[in-house]
Amino acid sequence: MMNRREFIGSAAALAGTSWLAAAQTPGPAPAPGTKPKLTFYGSTQQVSGSCHILETSKGLFIVDCGLFYADLPNHDDENREFPFDPKEVKALFLTHAHVDHNGRLPLLYEKGFRGKIYTTDCSRDITEVMLLMSFGVAEGSGEVPLFSKEAIEKTLDQVEAVPYNAKLERHGLTFRFTDAGHMLGSAMVEIWVDGVKLLYSGDMGPDHSPILCKPTQHYGADVVLVESTYGPVARDNISYEDFGKRVQKVIAGGGSVLLPAFAVHKTQALVYILHKLMADGIVDRKVPIYSDSATAHKVTGIYNRYRDYHDPEARKFGELFYRHRYQEPRPDESLKSHGEEPAIYISTSGMLDHATAPKHLYLMANDPKNAVFLVGYQSPSSVGAKVQSGEKKIEIPWEERGPDGFRREMRETEIKLSVEKVSGFSSHARGQQILEWLAGFKSIGEVCVVHGEAEKAKGLAEAISKMGIKAVAPTRDYTVTPSGDRVKPGPVPRLAAPKQPQALDPVDK
Ligand SMILES: [Zn+2]
């Protein structure tokens, strides 16, 4: 991988006299009548740092502005620089509120971006929670935050919330947000400019996500961006009823259940599914459900406010979260409740590396009546992965927040509780679903496959090519100038199930 300076140099050289060169000296916009140019920057053959550059005769536009994750070399340097001049950006389109899509917006403000940020009202509200959380985590761990707290406020002031399904005209281009079914408020963005249409499908959800509507089917575009988190694999099998029966078995045996989960969407999906299972008589409705992450509490409140965006089934269900014995205690309160009665604990982090979930595990680990259900991806170095692989003696992190930031000690414990793996709570569509979605198009130009590790992105591009569609997995400096030529997609190839057990949700940290 290039270092930052090489990258900025190559991006500017690539762009010639275009807006990208503005990182050094501002250049002219493409002349009216010329086709727009897309340049790929973040989430190219890897998953994080989503940020796509669009040069048009109307100016420079950006889609998403996400964080590069720590698993990338030079991620800290990468996170602090842009290969374009933020002052020249006319407007930004934000697909959804995960930090790998919005985590650098305040830095963009600090570096001079003063344009509008278009996103849904729900994404704006969750973005506020996410940016404050990521600022707090950086501060607590003694890192130099990427941006100031004031910049978060300024960023939120830049947002113009837009409705789903309405064509809007701004800055000489037309755009429309439609539901991506990935988390509440998530969107695909269609942009019509300079005689062509581009479709950024963002992160696309599975078509069975609890609470969420299915991803919107589109029918035509000159360039389509699709994600490839899972790559070219078959759909997964889901049985919430089976999940419920396994939970109830633990409860009926006098044990408690731990569900380590990400605070955004996964927690809300679990609470809703558990309430549905209670309504169906599969899980005992007298069992308390504790959700003890402060971030999750805020996001659950937002999910509750935006009922219009829920899928028809959830709307029919009525109250999704605040029913039966659902409670939102502080972590110290929920930790104290162990031993009182069988309970269900939904707690962060999802990989048992931080926050309260490992403390629950520590308190529950010695009792074989208890169970931990791993509902999300466990990265190879995580505590969750050790638990999942069946290790019996594990060092569990115990964190306390003091005046000087986090204090962390490792506590060894023996794992006697039962360990269960659950699929069906992922937020990303598998390759087969993406192929079927593309097959729904009446005409399509080029497909660019982003937001996936190299092998997965290239594998999905290859599968798309088999449908007679031009498809690439762009590298960072790849550019596309839409030709305007389109084809009708051919038959969908049938993808195999992954050979290895599939990671469940590798990116939404
Ligand atoms: Zn996402």
Side-chain angles (χ1 to χ4, degrees):
M1 179 174 285
M2 287 180 280
N3 69 29
R4 178 183 10 130
R5 191 162 291 114
E6 284 164 350
F7 163 57
I8 292 169
S10 76
L14 178 87
T17 55
S18 72
W19 289 109
L20 282 192
Q24 280 89 30
T25 48
T34 55
K35 293 268 191 287
K37 184 165 82 172
L38 285 83
T39 302
F40 288 85
Y41 165 35
S43 69
T44 47
Q45 301 201 3
Q46 51 89 15
V47 292
S48 64
S50 277
C51 186
H52 310 296
I53 300 161
L54 176 61
E55 296 169 86
T56 75
S57 69
K58 316 295 180 195
L60 174 64
F61 298 88
I62 302 292
V63 178
D64 289 343
C65 190
L67 268 186
F68 290 99
Y69 285 154
D71 51 353
L72 295 177
N74 299 334
H75 71 276
D76 194 49
D77 283 353
E78 298 251 47
N79 275 331
R80 289 172 198 278
E81 297 290 346
F82 294 102
F84 50 83
D85 183 352
K87 292 190 202 75
E88 299 292 348
V89 178
K90 284 265 190 306
L92 186 143
F93 301 91
L94 175 63
T95 58
H96 67 285
H98 281 137
V99 291
D100 58 327
H101 293 257
N102 66 10
R104 294 200 294 153
L105 285 173
L107 184 67
L108 199 67
Y109 170 82
E110 284 188 346
K111 290 191 177 276
F113 169 57
R114 294 293 181 269
K116 288 271 186 215
I117 298 170
Y118 297 105
T119 195
T120 62
D121 42 12
C122 180
S123 288
R124 175 200 57 208
D125 291 359
I126 300 177
T127 289
E128 179 174 9
V129 176
M130 301 303 278
L131 293 177
L132 288 169
M133 180 191 73
S134 94
F135 180 82
V137 168
E139 218 184 22
S141 15
E143 290 169 20
V144 182
L146 269 183
F147 42 76
S148 67
K149 211 166 174 182
E150 293 69 47
I152 299 177
E153 274 171 45
K154 299 287 186 190
T155 295
L156 295 165
D157 288 345
Q158 286 175 285
V159 172
E160 179 177 331
V162 296
Y164 280 127
N165 306 325
K167 268 191 180 178
L168 302 170
E169 314 250 345
R170 304 274 194 285
H171 320 283
L173 48 77
T174 304
F175 61 91
R176 177 166 61 185
F177 279 57
T178 57
D179 201 334
H182 169 63
M183 65 186 287
L184 208 65
S186 66
M188 304 183 185
V189 184
E190 297 164 279
I191 299 175
W192 290 263
V193 63
D194 295 332
V196 294
K197 178 187 164 184
L198 312 142
L199 170 57
Y200 297 82
S201 65
D203 286 5
M204 193 189 296
D207 43 21
H208 55 72
S209 264
I211 306 173
L212 306 179
C213 294
K214 288 186 195 335
T216 307
Q217 179 65 57
H218 287 273
Y219 299 100
D222 295 295
V223 179
V224 180
L225 272 70
V226 294
E227 69 138 298
S228 55
T229 304
Y230 284 103
V233 294
R235 288 161 181 271
D236 62 346
N237 296 317
I238 322 108
S239 169
Y240 294 124
E241 192 179 325
D242 172 62
F243 165 64
K245 284 180 179 162
R246 287 155 69 191
V247 167
Q248 180 56 29
K249 200 173 157 199
V250 177
I251 301 291
S256 287
V257 169
L258 172 60
L259 299 164
F262 188 54
V264 181
H265 187 68
K266 189 99 63 187
T267 292
Q268 292 73 35
L270 282 165
V271 175
Y272 167 57
I273 289 292
L274 285 166
H275 283 326
K276 271 172 72 88
L277 291 163
M278 287 177 171
D280 293 343
I282 294 168
V283 174
D284 183 352
R285 66 179 65 186
K286 293 194 288 299
V287 176
I289 301 173
Y290 298 106
S291 161
D292 60 9
S293 145
T295 300
H297 300 168
K298 289 179 199 156
V299 176
T300 303
I302 294 168
Y303 264 58
N304 198 47
R305 268 206 313 280
Y306 288 101
R307 284 170 188 264
D308 288 354
Y309 299 160
H310 296 175
D311 74 342
E313 201 183 325
R315 267 181 273 162
K316 209 168 106 198
F317 188 68
E319 177 53 58
L320 263 56
F321 310 115
Y322 309 109
R323 60 199 284 164
H324 303 311
R325 294 188 62 199
Y326 172 71
Q327 294 168 58
E328 296 189 336
R330 289 197 318 266
D332 58 323
E333 293 167 339
S334 70
L335 289 167
K336 258 191 250 162
S337 73
H338 283 287
E340 287 173 5
E341 60 180 326
I344 298 170
Y345 298 93
I346 304 174
S347 196
T348 56
S349 68
M351 296 191 223
L352 291 156
D353 283 327
H354 299 285
T356 315
K359 295 182 176 179
H360 285 296
L361 179 65
Y362 181 78
L363 296 172
M364 294 167 70
N366 273 304
D367 187 345
K369 292 201 295 297
N370 295 331
V372 56
F373 284 69
L374 298 168
V375 293
Y377 172 66
Q378 308 298 319
S379 83
S381 59
S382 65
V383 173
K386 293 191 178 87
V387 173
Q388 189 167 274
S389 70
E391 284 188 33
K392 291 296 171 208
K393 271 217 161 50
I394 287 184
E395 297 238 299
I396 295 178
W398 190 280
E399 288 176 350
E400 299 287 354
R401 190 166 190 161
D404 305 322
F406 289 111
R407 204 160 38 81
R408 180 181 167 96
E409 61 175 51
M410 301 304 285
R411 298 185 177 182
E412 193 182 76
T413 193
E414 208 173 328
I415 300 290
K416 293 184 187 160
L417 87 174
S418 112
V419 177
E420 311 254 350
K421 194 166 177 189
V422 184
S423 67
F425 287 97
S426 167
S427 304
H428 295 272
R430 279 162 167 72
Q432 187 72 53
Q433 183 188 326
I434 291 172
L435 295 186
E436 287 163 19
W437 181 78
L438 289 167
F441 280 62
K442 295 193 187 330
S443 68
I444 191 165
E446 182 167 354
V447 176
C448 299
V449 182
V450 293
H451 202 284
E453 289 154 12
E455 222 164 90
K456 291 176 178 167
K458 287 192 272 189
L460 188 60
E462 199 184 315
I464 294 167
S465 306
K466 289 182 183 154
M467 296 165 65
I469 303 169
K470 184 179 177 194
V472 287
T475 47
R476 184 176 264 197
D477 51 5
Y478 186 81
T479 63
V480 174
T481 301
S483 66
D485 297 336
R486 297 189 188 184
V487 296
K488 187 170 168 30
V492 178
R494 184 115 323 260
L495 300 175
K499 287 191 194 80
Q500 299 290 323
Q502 190 73 1
L504 287 173
D505 215 353
V507 290
D508 299 329
K509 296 179 185 174

